[in-house]
Amino acid sequence: MLATIEGIEILDQAEQLAAMIIESEEAEYYRQCLYRLKNNKDTQAKIRRFVKMKEHYDDVQRFGKYHPDYKTVMKSVRELKREMDMDENVAEFRKAENDLQAILDEVSVLIGHSVSNQIKVPTGNPFFDSSSSCGGGCGSGGSCGCS
């Protein structure tokens, strides 16, 4: 019975933490950027052009440099990717996405390391890799005491 009550309390606290993240400035900015990304006709046109060319690129890749359109497709896919990446809405969305992911990574590391410094937390961010002597990287106020 005690384990069940403890589990419920942990889940309640996890839901509170999730609500705090959802209500954060970073999450709100992410939602605003996502809305602009999805609702801007020019941005969506750039994304569609890139996706279409990427599909053609995948077909060409099966044959490699022996495909008759190889050079043209390779050049076009690079140009369209650059055009898409340079779009203000795409760039802002990616920045907002990275900022929100950084919060999620940091929370994961804090939770994992509060249980044990030996726990591996998959963040995909080398700053948070457990191989760091600080258990979170210098500047994070990790276990090494740096700040």
Side-chain angles (χ1 to χ4, degrees), residues 5 12 14-15 31 53 57 62 66 69-70 73-74 84 86 88 92 94-95 106 113-114 122 124 128 141:
I5 293 172
D12 284 345
E15 287 176 3
R31 287 188 294 273
M53 183 55 69
Y57 168 85
R62 288 187 287 172
Y66 301 107
D69 295 334
Y70 179 79
V73 169
M74 296 300 283
M84 181 185 70
M86 297 301 289
E88 181 180 336
E92 282 296 312
R94 287 196 176 144
K95 181 184 179 318
E106 192 166 352
H113 288 175
S114 70
F128 292 115

Side-chain angles (χ1 to χ4, degrees), residues 8-38:
I8 291 171
E9 288 175 357
I10 291 171
L11 289 175
D12 284 345
Q13 290 177 357
E15 287 176 3
Q16 290 174 9
L17 178 60
M20 290 171 60
I21 293 170
I22 289 168
E23 294 169 8
S24 70
E25 290 178 20
E26 289 82 0
E28 177 59 30
Y29 185 61
Y30 170 83
R31 287 188 294 273
Q32 290 171 4
C33 290
L34 179 61
Y35 178 83
R36 286 192 297 268
L37 177 81
K38 288 186 171 190

Side-chain angles (χ1 to χ4, degrees), residues 85-103:
D85 288 345
M86 297 301 289
D87 183 273
E88 181 180 336
N89 294 310
V90 171
E92 282 296 312
F93 173 74
R94 287 196 176 144
K95 181 184 179 318
E97 188 176 43
N98 288 336
D99 291 348
L100 185 56
Q101 185 64 51
I103 290 172

